[in-house]
Amino acid sequence: VQLQASGGGLVQAGGSLRLSCVASGHTSSNYNFGWIRQAPGKEREFVARIRWSAGNTGYAESVKGRFTISRDIAKNTVFLQMNSLKPEDTAVYYCAANQLWYSNLWDYWGQGTLVTVSS
């Protein structure tokens, strides 16, 4: 599975961005896709996940109500709509995939896309 993330950039606090992750290769409806971020000097942090087949979603408490994960099955793409952005959301955002819904171990990773939120 190959994952290609895009959509990062510089935005002011309170603004919005939408990240995209295109999946290719041997993908399956059994996969879950997620967004994980890593801020400078910090460990990687789970942000959101979606079950490809049924569309179930899960979020970190820190982004609930502000971020929305979705997928476009026809385009093999997962999105992360980020609203009401805060400076603490600044990080490199990675898309990832696995086959275990409750696992924080991800089997496949895309390259990161940098999100910078200015105050």
Side-chain angles (χ1 to χ4, degrees):
V1 177
Q2 292 81 46
L3 302 172
Q4 180 74 34
S6 63
L10 174 63
V11 64
Q12 288 189 329
S16 299
L17 278 177
R18 188 175 81 157
L19 306 183
S20 301
C21 176
V22 179
S24 60
H26 187 63
T27 57
S28 163
S29 60
N30 294 325
Y31 280 103
N32 309 299
F33 291 85
W35 289 96
I36 295 89
R37 67 187 180 187
Q38 187 167 22
K42 296 188 177 181
E43 294 185 354
R44 286 183 177 177
E45 173 191 24
F46 164 77
V47 176
R49 60 163 52 97
I50 187 165
R51 194 188 302 268
W52 187 256
S53 56
N56 311 59
T57 58
Y59 297 92
E61 286 296 326
S62 59
V63 306
K64 274 184 181 178
R66 300 188 299 122
F67 291 10
T68 302
I69 189 170
S70 62
R71 87 267 196 248
D72 184 327
I73 294 175
K75 296 182 178 180
N76 271 358
T77 302
V78 176
F79 302 101
L80 185 69
Q81 178 66 43
M82 305 185 294
N83 298 329
S84 302
L85 282 161
K86 304 175 182 180
E88 52 263 44
D89 294 317
T90 294
V92 177
Y93 284 71
Y94 299 89
C95 62
N98 66 15
Q99 297 190 59
L100 297 175
W101 177 248
Y102 291 108
S103 173
N104 281 323
L105 298 177
W106 300 89
D107 301 315
Y108 304 97
W109 290 83
Q111 91 293 355
T113 184
L114 177 62
V115 172
T116 304
V117 184
S118 63
S119 57

